[in-house]
């Protein structure tokens, strides 16, 4: 083989790896949209209460977010390909077990294991892509991967809805297992093994404190929604202690998850608030709207998936456009515009839900999706650019984890509004309106906080 042919073959192999890694990232992303359509069937089949439905979503998110904080260090020591394949196998096996869970307790257990397995995907995709491509090609590689995932995300509602139309609630989890079975052999053949030259130690204690704090907050808010005020107060008091302990740990740790001094950087503060609140609104809406459509309007699972398609599709479109627009007009103004459009879409959705207007609900979801896709990439870029050198290694994991924690808080936020009414779907309009108000609040903060460098 000539030198030119060898280079072309190596190049083709690298770009093939980008496609395989994109498929891997697609797996946990699709799970989030498919589970939202599946919740009414789970509630009916397993007799799950509203609080238990919240835990089914939250347990996965918290396990995934917590694992993301540990995975970069693990991959650097154990091997990036080995870590990714192992995580995918754990995710696929747990998905198979979840599909046949006989009660809520077992389903919750397997959702935690699924989250732990899924936590390897995003960090290892970044690490493997960085190692395979020279600096001048990495942005293109990441861009192609992001475009594939964003464009394929609408498959979740459609595929899940079509499957649930003809099968039982656990069938959607089998999609995860099938994708894992397809991806793992390709990874083993195409991706070379790599380890970090100077692997760093993970702050295990910090991760444990962060995850425990989010779980305590979750337990407190779910108990508060269910009327257990004494237990809610106890859980929230424990959460406050854990948050303080986390702060103390970050000041003393040799390799902190995040330097607390970054909280004095305005750009980092508002970018993190945007990331958290945007994901809070996205996940909160995806939690409650499908149940409203199925239980109040009588829409079948496939119909729910089709109605969510404009939301997911426009998220994909606007997320691909936002970075280009941000380079022209500035990150701050693109983020503000995206938040306000997202809020307007959710406000319209609240009105449509209150009126029971099926067609207007679909339109509102499209508007909300277009706005929801705009602020994510620019805010993430602003957050990463604001990290101090000592937090550079762990910064991406911390930011991604915080984004996932925001999704958990979205489920909790709509639960606080809807669960006291006795059924999640009965107060969908007030819940969605609360999410819109939070987005407007985030936009105001972005305007109000000072900006030092655009």
């Amino acid at each position: 083989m000539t030198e030119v042919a060898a280079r072309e073959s190596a190049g083709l192999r690298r770009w093939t790896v980008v496609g395989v890694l994109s498929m891997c990232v697609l797996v946990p992303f699709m799970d989030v949209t498919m589970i939202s359509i599946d919740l009414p069937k789970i509630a009916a089949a397993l007799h799950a209460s509203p609080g238990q439905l919240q835990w089914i979503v939250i347990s996965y998110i918290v396990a995934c977010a917590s694992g993301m904080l540990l995975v970069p260090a693990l991959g650097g020591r154990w091997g990036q390909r080995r870590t990714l394949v192992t995580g995918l196998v754990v995710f696929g096996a747990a998905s198979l077990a979840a599909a046949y869970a006989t009660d809520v307790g077992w389903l919750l257990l397997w959702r935690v294991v699924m989250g732990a397995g899924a936590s390897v995907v995003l960090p290892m995709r970044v690490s493997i892509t960085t190692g395979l491509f020279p600096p001048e090609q990495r942005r293109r590689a990441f861009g192609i991967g992001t475009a594939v995932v964003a464009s394929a995300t609408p498959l979740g509602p459609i595929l899940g809805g079509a499957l649930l139309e003809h099968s039982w609630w656990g069938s959607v989890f089998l999609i995860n297992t099938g994708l894992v079975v397809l991806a793992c052999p390709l990874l083993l053949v195409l991706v070379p093994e790599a380890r970090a030259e100077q692997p760093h130690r993970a702050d295990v204690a910090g991760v444990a404190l962060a995850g425990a704090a989010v779980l305590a907050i979750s337990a407190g808010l779910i108990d508060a929604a269910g009327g257990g005020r004494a237990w809610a107060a106890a859980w929230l008091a424990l959460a406050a202690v854990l948050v303080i302990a986390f702060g103390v740990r970050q000041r003393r740790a040799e390799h902190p998850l995040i330097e607390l001094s970054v909280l004095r950087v305005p750009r980092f503060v508002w970018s993190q608030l945007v990331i958290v609140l945007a994901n809070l609104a996205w996940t909160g809406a995806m939690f409650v709207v499908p149940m409203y459509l199925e239980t109040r309007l009588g829409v079948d699972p496939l119909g729910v998936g089709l109605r969510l398609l404009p939301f997911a599709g426009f998220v994909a479109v606007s997320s691909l456009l936002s970075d280009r627009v941000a380079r022209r007009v500035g990150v701050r103004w693109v983020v503000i515009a995206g938040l306000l459009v997202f809020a307007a879409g959710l406000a319209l959705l609240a009105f449509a839900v209150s009126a029971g207007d099926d067609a207007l609900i679909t339109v509102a979801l499209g508007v909300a999706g277009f706005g929801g896709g705009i602020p994510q990439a620019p805010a993430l870029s602003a957050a990463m650019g604001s990290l101090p050198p000592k937090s550079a290694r762990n910064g991406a994991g911390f930011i991604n984890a915080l984004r996932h924690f925001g999704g958990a808080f979205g489920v909790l936020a709509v639960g606080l509004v809807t669960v006291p009414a006795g059924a999640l779907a009965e107060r969908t309009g007030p819940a969605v309106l609360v999410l819109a108000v939070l987005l407007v609040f985030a936009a105001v903060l972005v305007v109000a906080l000072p900006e030092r460098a655009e």
Side-chain angles (χ1 to χ4, degrees):
M1 182 181 291
T2 66
E3 185 178 346
V4 173
R7 285 201 302 267
E8 290 179 350
S9 177
L12 177 61
R13 182 178 181 136
R14 286 198 300 266
W15 291 110
T16 304
V17 170
V18 171
V20 177
L21 291 175
S22 299
M23 182 172 64
C24 294
V25 176
L26 176 63
V27 173
F29 273 84
M30 283 181 60
D31 180 87
V32 174
T33 53
M34 288 191 296
I35 195 68
S36 65
I37 297 174
D38 200 13
L39 288 174
K41 278 203 167 187
I42 291 175
L46 301 183
H47 308 289
S49 67
Q52 289 173 325
L53 293 178
Q54 288 179 281
W55 278 118
I56 288 169
V57 178
I58 291 170
S59 59
Y60 173 84
I61 294 174
V62 173
C64 187
S66 300
M68 283 182 182
L69 298 172
L70 294 172
V71 165
L74 178 63
R77 292 176 179 274
W78 200 39
Q80 295 167 359
R81 183 185 65 182
R82 181 186 297 178
T83 302
L84 177 56
V85 171
T86 301
L88 285 172
V89 169
V90 170
F91 179 80
S95 297
L96 181 62
Y100 296 97
T102 54
D103 57 45
V104 174
W106 280 109
L107 180 57
L108 283 173
L109 171 64
W110 294 123
R111 290 290 289 170
V112 170
V113 180
M114 285 173 64
S119 68
V120 307
V121 177
L122 281 175
M124 288 302 95
R125 175 214 174 197
V126 172
S127 298
I128 292 172
T129 303
T130 300
L132 284 176
F133 289 90
E136 63 273 14
Q137 292 183 331
R138 285 174 193 161
R139 183 166 185 169
R140 183 185 175 197
F142 285 126
I144 290 175
T146 301
V148 170
V149 172
S151 301
T153 297
L155 285 175
I158 299 299
L159 192 57
L163 194 58
L164 289 170
E165 190 77 10
H166 305 287
S167 191
W168 90 109
W169 65 268
S171 60
V172 296
F173 295 113
L174 300 181
I175 297 175
N176 297 335
T177 305
L179 288 173
V180 167
V181 169
L182 180 62
C184 286
L186 294 174
L187 289 171
L188 291 172
V189 170
L190 295 171
V191 179
E193 187 59 278
R195 294 175 176 84
E197 294 182 3
Q198 295 180 331
H200 64 286
R201 292 184 177 180
D203 181 15
V204 178
V207 173
L209 288 169
V214 174
L215 288 175
I217 293 171
S218 302
L221 294 181
I222 289 175
D223 279 348
R229 296 183 179 179
W231 277 108
W235 281 117
L236 294 176
L238 175 61
V241 172
L242 290 169
V243 169
I244 294 171
F246 175 79
V248 172
R249 172 66 187 176
Q250 296 312 291
R251 287 188 179 277
R252 297 179 178 177
E254 183 179 358
H255 300 287
L257 298 173
I258 194 71
E259 283 187 76
L260 297 184
S261 61
V262 78
L263 298 178
R264 296 194 292 269
V265 180
R267 170 174 276 215
F268 182 83
V269 172
W270 67 250
S271 62
Q272 285 298 94
L273 285 171
V274 168
I275 291 169
V276 169
L277 290 177
N279 278 278
L280 183 154
W282 188 90
T283 309
M286 287 298 96
F287 179 74
V288 74
V289 170
M291 284 187 284
Y292 168 84
L293 291 172
E294 289 193 47
T295 60
R296 303 294 290 180
L297 298 188
V299 180
D300 58 57
L302 178 58
V304 173
L306 291 172
R307 284 160 178 80
L308 294 180
L309 185 59
F311 184 89
F314 278 112
V315 165
V317 171
S318 61
S319 64
L320 295 175
L321 296 175
S322 62
D323 183 58
R324 184 180 303 175
V325 177
R327 289 197 296 267
R328 294 187 176 185
V329 304
V331 170
R332 178 196 287 264
W333 298 111
V334 169
V335 167
I336 292 169
L339 290 171
L340 293 178
V341 173
F342 194 2
L346 291 180
L348 180 62
L349 179 61
F351 172 79
V353 164
S354 299
D357 190 328
D358 194 2
L360 187 58
I361 288 173
T362 305
V363 172
L365 284 169
V367 175
F370 185 80
I374 293 174
Q376 295 282 358
L380 179 60
S381 177
M384 289 299 298
S386 305
L387 288 172
K390 194 175 180 180
S391 293
R393 280 186 167 183
N394 294 327
F398 180 83
I399 291 169
N400 270 313
L402 203 57
R403 176 169 63 178
H404 280 69
F405 287 147
F409 292 138
V411 176
L412 295 169
V414 297
L416 280 174
V417 178
T418 57
V419 171
L424 285 170
E426 291 182 358
R427 296 183 66 185
T428 299
V432 172
L433 196 58
V434 168
L435 300 177
V437 171
L438 289 174
L439 291 173
V440 173
F441 172 73
V444 171
L445 284 179
V446 177
V447 173
L449 287 172
E451 176 70 14
R452 294 176 181 171
E454 195 69 55

